[in-house]
Amino acid sequence: MRTNAGTAVWTELVVLVPYRASHVPKYHEWMQSAELRQLTASEPLTLNQEYAMQQSWLNDDDKCTFIVLDRVALERCGHQPAAMVGDVNLFLADGAAAEAEVMIAERWARGAGRGRQAAAAMLRYGVETLGLTRFEVKIGFDNEASQRMFAGMGFSEAGRSEVFREVTLEVAVTVDWSRRLRQLTPGYRLEPAPEEATDDGPGAPVDRTGAPDVQAGTENDSKELKADEEQVKPSGDATAS
């Protein structure tokens, strides 16, 4: 989507940046995982096909995509591909509705609130910037962590498909729910997207076998909104690959 092509969304834990060509190799690496492909209902693509997909997403006005960066890792190394932990997406439907998806691909980045804060930031961007008034998510029956996460964010069950083995949750935007999004996104701000770093840019890559050596700050969420996301996995068709 051209609308978000020059925008970065900052929160305490994550930074959402437009999906660019320099992110494709890391994303392609993630999609070699059979687990992630299953959870995201994705087909394996070649690297060249992945680059073509990135360009189509950039130019499609019905799809809004951000790559999720770990903020601590980004500020430590200044290299976006090394700080990548997942992605978030909105598929815009007729009117002011959208299907939302979130994926935290890096195992070390799960279970610390990044997925919930990334999803909430994307939803807030959808409300405040894109003018959306209704959201839905489709999540696999087995993905209980994502079901709990979105339920904790105010989504309620709207239907179940035994054929696709997924549950649909939805929420309508209200004043109270918008206030809840603001509570879930401390430090939220929009800035021009950082310049794209090359794959051999500065900064040591993040260790993919464990958390970065610099610890992230706490979420500062209110008690009633705490910890629906103990283990973040992709939601439903978390990303189109």
Side-chain angles (χ1 to χ4, degrees):
M1 174 179 278
R2 293 290 182 181
T3 302
N4 74 315
T7 302
V9 182
W10 290 73
T11 68
E12 279 190 351
L13 298 178
V14 297
V15 183
L16 311 184
V17 296
Y19 184 27
R20 292 170 168 169
S22 63
H23 304 134
V24 171
K26 181 72 168 286
Y27 187 87
H28 181 66
E29 179 185 324
W30 288 340
M31 289 298 105
Q32 303 313 297
S33 164
E35 176 195 16
L36 286 181
R37 289 201 307 272
Q38 178 181 0
L39 288 168
T40 60
S42 299
E43 296 295 330
L45 299 179
T46 66
L47 183 58
N48 284 339
Q49 289 172 325
E50 209 77 77
Y51 277 111
M53 185 66 72
Q54 180 268 329
Q55 283 297 304
S56 73
W57 278 60
L58 174 64
N59 294 306
D60 193 335
D61 289 335
D62 294 332
K63 299 182 180 69
C64 183
T65 300
F66 284 102
I67 292 294
V68 181
L69 308 180
D70 178 74
R71 179 171 174 173
V72 170
L74 178 65
E75 292 177 340
R76 175 166 61 87
C77 71
H79 187 220
Q80 290 186 28
M84 288 171 61
V85 295
D87 73 345
V88 286
N89 307 284
L90 290 175
F91 296 92
L92 278 62
D94 293 337
E99 180 181 344
E101 298 175 342
V102 57
M103 175 179 74
I104 299 298
E106 295 288 345
R107 290 185 177 276
W108 62 261
R110 298 176 184 171
R114 295 177 183 87
R116 181 174 58 185
Q117 200 164 104
M122 177 60 131
L123 296 171
R124 184 171 173 180
Y125 180 85
V127 173
E128 297 180 0
T129 302
L130 302 180
L132 300 177
T133 60
R134 181 175 293 275
F135 298 97
E136 72 171 25
V137 292
K138 296 179 180 179
I139 305 172
F141 286 167
D142 296 333
N143 195 346
E144 295 180 359
S146 285
Q147 292 181 40
R148 290 194 303 271
M149 184 184 80
F150 280 102
M153 293 170 63
F155 283 71
S156 58
E157 184 172 328
R160 301 176 75 86
S161 171
E162 296 296 334
V163 174
F164 295 105
R165 294 191 53 77
E166 65 184 17
V167 58
T168 298
L169 307 177
E170 64 179 24
V171 67
V173 177
T174 63
V175 172
D176 288 343
W177 189 73
S178 295
R179 184 181 302 114
R180 194 172 199 173
L181 283 185
R182 292 193 293 272
Q183 291 175 328
L184 285 169
T185 51
Y188 180 95
R189 69 181 189 275
L190 304 184
E191 291 189 355
E195 290 298 320
E196 199 170 6
T198 61
D199 290 337
D200 57 353
V206 175
D207 181 359
R208 295 173 189 155
T209 63
D213 54 9
V214 180
Q215 297 299 313
T218 59
E219 291 188 74
N220 290 332
D221 289 343
S222 59
K223 291 182 180 178
E224 67 271 20
L225 299 174
K226 186 184 178 192
D228 290 296
E229 179 214 18
E230 295 300 324
Q231 180 181 7
V232 182
K233 292 183 179 179
S235 64
D237 306 70
T239 51
S241 178

